[in-house]
Amino acid sequence: MSPTDLFSPAATPARWVFDLSLMIYAICATIFVVVGGLLVYAVIKFRKRGDDRREPAQVYGSRQIELAWTIVPILIVLVLFLASARVIAATQKSPPSGSLEVDVIGHQFWWEYRYPSLGVVTANELHVPVTNENAPKPTVLRLYSADTVHSFWVPKLAGKTDLIPNFPNLMWIDPATPGLYEGQCAQYCGAQHAKMLLRVYVQSRDDFAKWVEEQKQSLRTDVGAPPGRALFERTACMNCHTVAGTAAMGRFGPDLTHLMSRATLGAGILANTRPNLRAWIKDPSAFKPASLMPAMGFDERELDAMTDYLMTLR
């Protein structure tokens, strides 16, 4: 089963959207069958036969027909409007107090996740706990944009919600089944919009608590300062990235403090392996043309040193 399967919702907002979609599909299919049937009937019933050249009987001013094709569409539109309004109101209702809140910040072209109540910052891979009878409160996502319009969309968890500059938005999810749920930015936001991927890890409460504790731990590196750390701190890397416990406090790029705890690089486009990490450092534009991360022009020795250092950030 695909992690982005629209037809197997795993959270309440996605289920409501799915049910509404089924209703709309059913209504549209009914209209198609009725209109198509009438057309077929008319073509067969009133087709020209042989050399019959008589003009068909002309009917004008049928009040019943005119009322029918005026009132029926109005009723259909009214039903669709009310059903859609109910789902919109339900998905935008205020979440209960005490819910886990995550600040989601869209960048060109990656995702930043901040957990204010937990003191955790990460990027591109969102971790949330399951919602069940023992922990019924959902996870609340507060959506912000650092540059242009983005759209947060994980099909199995909820519908699309836009991230608009200077206009905070909000959504909530309550997945009950642990697993990986994938999605992507659903609003064209620039050249690499299609490679701004989403990975949401839904974990049991115990596994989520363990992940939080790991993310709170002090930076783990080899004994002493690896040569790549000095290189990292004297180049422009530190201007864009944060590594807790060092002088690097940049906010333009992802927080790298626990880089190697993530499964992917580049917002989900590469597996997080040493060869891929080295290639990414060497030339990010080879994987994401027009991305805002520049190639630093490191030589082979510096590339190895930088890669070795980043591999220690767990």
Side-chain angles (χ1 to χ4, degrees), residues 37-66:
L38 290 174
L39 286 173
V40 171
Y41 171 79
V43 167
I44 296 175
K45 176 70 174 178
F46 302 106
R47 71 186 186 279
K48 182 179 179 181
R49 293 177 173 82
D51 57 354
D52 186 357
R53 298 182 179 276
R54 291 176 300 170
E55 183 177 349
Q58 303 300 300
V59 179
Y60 302 97
S62 174
R63 183 171 299 175
Q64 291 82 359
I65 293 177
E66 292 180 358

Side-chain angles (χ1 to χ4, degrees), residues 250-265:
R251 287 289 303 275
F252 293 103
D255 188 304
L256 302 181
T257 305
H258 297 284
L259 170 65
M260 298 312 295
S261 69
R262 302 167 196 160
T264 61
L265 298 168

Side-chain angles (χ1 to χ4, degrees), residues 125-165:
E125 298 180 2
L126 176 63
H127 290 250
V128 300
V130 296
T131 304
N132 52 37
E133 62 276 4
N134 298 322
K137 294 182 178 179
T139 297
V140 179
L141 306 179
R142 299 192 178 276
L143 308 176
Y144 306 89
S145 173
D147 34 54
T148 185
V149 178
H150 303 282
S151 187
F152 190 94
W153 185 41
V154 184
K156 297 185 74 169
L157 299 182
K160 303 172 184 177
T161 305
D162 288 344
L163 293 76
I164 302 172

